[in-house]
C-alpha cells in the first residue's frame, strides 16, 4: 500500500490533469470515497484507475470522487458515466478490476457485466 504522502502526490497530479480534460471528457469515472469505501480499499482503487489512465494515455476520461452512496456492501464502488449519460455502477472493485474497467470499458467500450450491480 502507498503512503498517505504518495497518495496526496498522485491526487495533486491527477487533479491538474483532470481539470484540463474536465470539459471534453467522454467518460466520467467516479469513485466512492466515503468512510466505508475507504475502509474497503477505495484509495487503492482510485490509485489504480489514475495509474492505468496515465499509463495508457487515456485523454477522454475524467476521474472524480464522491462520498457515501448508500451501497456499503458494494464498496469499493466505481460509477462510469458513459457518453450517452447512462451510468454503470461497478461494485466490489479491486485495483485489478479498476485497471480492467479502464482497459475494457473506457478504451474498448465494453461493459464488464460481471462487476455491474446497477445501471441507470
Ligand atoms: S456508510 Fe457505506 S455507503 Fe454510506
Amino acid at each position: 500500500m502507498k503512503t498517505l504522502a504518495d497518495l496526496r502526490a498522485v491526487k495533486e497530479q491527477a487533479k491538474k490533469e483532470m481539470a484540463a480534460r474536465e470539459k471534453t471528457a467522454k467518460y466520467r469515472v467516479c469513485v466512492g470515497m466515503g468512510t466505508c469505501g475507504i475502509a474497503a480499499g477505495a484509495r487503492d482503487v482510485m490509485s489504480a484507475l489514475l495509474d492505468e489512465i496515465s499509463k495508457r494515455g487515456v485523454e477522454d476520461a475524467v476521474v472524480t470522487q464522491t462520498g457515501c452512496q448508500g451501497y456499503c456492501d458494494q464498496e469499493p464502488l466505481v460509477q462510469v458515466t458513459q457518453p450517452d449519460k447512462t451510468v454503470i455502477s461497478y461494485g466490489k472493485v479491486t485495483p485489478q478490476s479498476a485497471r480492467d474497467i479502464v482497459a475494457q470499458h473506457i478504451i474498448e467500450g465494453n461493459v464488464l457485466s460481471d462487476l455491474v450491480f446497477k445501471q441507470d
Side-chain angles (χ1 to χ4, degrees):
M1 181 193 258
K2 294 186 178 201
T3 67
L4 193 53
D6 291 338
L7 289 169
R8 283 196 177 121
V10 168
K11 182 179 171 185
E12 284 310 308
Q13 180 61 33
K15 267 170 81 175
K16 286 183 196 158
E17 292 175 15
M18 293 301 153
R21 61 178 86 146
E22 182 74 31
K23 289 183 181 150
T24 57
K26 282 171 39 186
Y27 287 94
R28 295 184 173 275
V29 184
C30 188
V31 182
M33 297 286 275
T35 308
C36 66
I38 289 171
R43 282 187 176 136
D44 289 340
V45 167
M46 171 69 91
S47 189
L49 282 168
L50 295 172
D51 182 58
E52 199 66 23
I53 282 173
S54 173
K55 265 189 356 199
R56 291 176 177 267
V58 176
E59 295 188 351
D60 58 356
V62 64
V63 179
T64 61
Q65 65 183 53
T66 187
C68 174
Q69 295 292 296
Y71 301 108
C72 300
D73 62 324
Q74 293 296 326
E75 298 285 357
L77 177 68
V78 173
Q79 295 172 310
V80 177
T81 303
Q82 306 188 106
D84 67 0
K85 303 299 180 206
T86 55
V87 180
I88 306 293
S89 297
Y90 291 108
K92 300 180 181 172
V93 178
T94 64
Q96 182 56 56
S97 55
R99 293 181 187 280
D100 293 342
I101 289 168
V102 174
Q104 294 176 37
H105 190 162
I106 306 301
I107 295 176
E108 300 291 335
N110 300 319
V111 174
L112 288 79
S113 31
D114 289 353
L115 286 177
V116 174
F117 83 94
K118 187 169 169 267
Q119 182 170 344
D120 299 316

